[in-house]
Amino acid sequence: MKKLILILAMISCTVSMTAQQMQYHLDDNSHLLTRITVKGDYWNMNWLISPDGKKYPWIDKKYQWGNMKNEVPQGLYRVAIQTSVRRWFQGHNIVEEYTIENLSDIPVDMAMMRICTPWNARYLAADTVTTVRCSVQVLTKEDGNTATGVKATRLSGQGPHVGLMVTKGAIGNYVTGDCDDLSMNSQCGVMWIIPEHYMLKPKKKYVMQWHIFAYKDTEEFIWKAKKITGSKTVLNVK
């Protein structure tokens, strides 16, 4: 009887973990993302800042999710690189894979790269409980995590929320920029992910791959993150 109760409890715990389908929309020309949503979300929140210039006139197509530069600074030089991105669904998750090829004759530090990830985290002080903005925690190894990613949480605290976990390569850091908000009392700036310090040799390729998924609370974020990256993953999340 005790064994049966334990099995039923395990089944109940597994079923309680949500399996919500991620959705995205592409720009017809650039094939970069302009929307990330969760199917069935009551508020139909776009987890990205829309790059159409309507809400924030200075945020245009150069801030589409996945935008990368085709050259990076390396000492006194600017080194030519070639970038590409693939994306597909794996179960309910979006998987993106960024490939960076060093076209030059000298090594390139991947920490000089930037990948645009414009999380919809721009908000005024009065918007701190809104259902259509988020706060973002970037998980790096310097903060005690054994895997890297992003935990984005709706400001109201009401799920579903959206997470991102890296399965190839690693996030080293991030920067925010282009904060032209009219209010001084705001959180703003478009986020760019910085890959790990890795010296990419001439004519070689570096791959950054991550999974984007929905979660309902911190417990489920950790459960899904470990399912993606491995059961022994250590995460220091809020």
Side-chain angles (χ1 to χ4, degrees):
M1 179 62 71
K2 289 184 178 179
K3 185 176 181 180
L4 177 59
I5 292 173
L6 178 60
I7 292 172
L8 290 174
M10 291 173 64
I11 293 173
S12 176
C13 178
T14 302
V15 171
S16 70
M17 299 299 180
T18 55
Q20 291 179 282
Q21 180 70 49
M22 296 301 303
Q23 302 176 126
Y24 64 81
H25 182 269
L26 294 177
D27 182 285
D28 291 337
N29 296 316
S30 68
H31 301 292
L32 299 176
L33 299 186
T34 59
R35 288 181 63 84
I36 291 179
T37 58
V38 181
K39 185 176 182 179
D41 177 12
Y42 178 81
W43 299 279
N44 194 34
M45 174 176 167
N46 181 9
W47 287 79
L48 311 186
I49 301 173
S50 180
D52 57 11
K54 292 181 180 179
K55 185 171 182 62
Y56 305 105
W58 55 92
I59 297 183
D60 55 23
K61 290 189 174 184
K62 68 174 175 277
Y63 297 114
Q64 290 176 340
W65 178 285
N67 186 31
M68 295 181 283
K69 310 298 183 184
N70 286 323
E71 59 179 20
V72 295
Q74 190 70 17
L76 299 176
Y77 306 96
R78 298 195 69 83
V79 178
I81 57 174
Q82 183 169 289
T83 61
S84 62
V85 58
R86 296 193 306 131
R87 70 181 56 82
W88 63 92
F89 284 105
Q90 184 170 313
H92 293 86
N93 302 346
I94 302 169
V95 181
E96 290 191 312
E97 185 173 273
Y98 295 85
T99 301
I100 302 162
E101 182 177 4
N102 181 2
L103 300 179
S104 76
D105 295 322
I106 62 174
V108 177
D109 187 354
M110 286 296 93
M112 301 305 295
M113 275 294 301
R114 303 289 185 269
I115 303 174
C116 190
T117 55
W119 293 98
N120 195 356
R122 301 177 69 93
Y123 56 89
L124 304 178
D127 295 332
T128 53
V129 294
T130 183
T131 56
V132 291
R133 298 286 187 280
C134 66
S135 63
V136 172
Q137 180 185 5
V138 180
L139 309 176
T140 65
K141 292 183 179 179
E142 287 187 358
D143 296 323
N145 304 289
T146 58
T148 61
V150 176
K151 181 175 181 278
T153 306
R154 196 189 308 262
L155 290 179
S156 67
Q158 298 165 286
H161 312 289
V162 172
L164 177 156
M165 290 304 299
V166 177
T167 52
K168 293 181 182 179
I171 295 173
N173 209 331
Y174 70 97
V175 293
T176 57
D178 300 283
C179 178
D180 294 331
D181 206 307
L182 299 178
S183 169
M184 295 298 292
N185 187 20
S186 66
Q187 299 291 326
C188 57
V190 177
M191 178 181 288
W192 297 75
I193 289 294
I194 303 174
E196 63 189 323
H197 281 289
Y198 177 85
M199 296 307 296
L200 182 63
K201 295 179 180 180
K203 317 305 179 187
K204 297 295 183 180
K205 296 179 180 180
Y206 177 88
V207 175
M208 172 86 84
Q209 184 188 98
W210 56 49
H211 291 230
I212 303 170
F213 58 95
Y215 70 95
K216 67 178 181 180
D217 53 28
T218 298
E219 179 184 5
E220 186 173 73
F221 174 86
I222 294 172
W223 181 82
K224 287 191 171 183
K226 288 186 175 183
K227 186 177 179 181
I228 292 168
T229 61
S231 61
K232 294 184 179 180
T233 295
V234 175
L235 297 174
N236 180 22
V237 297
K238 300 174 183 178

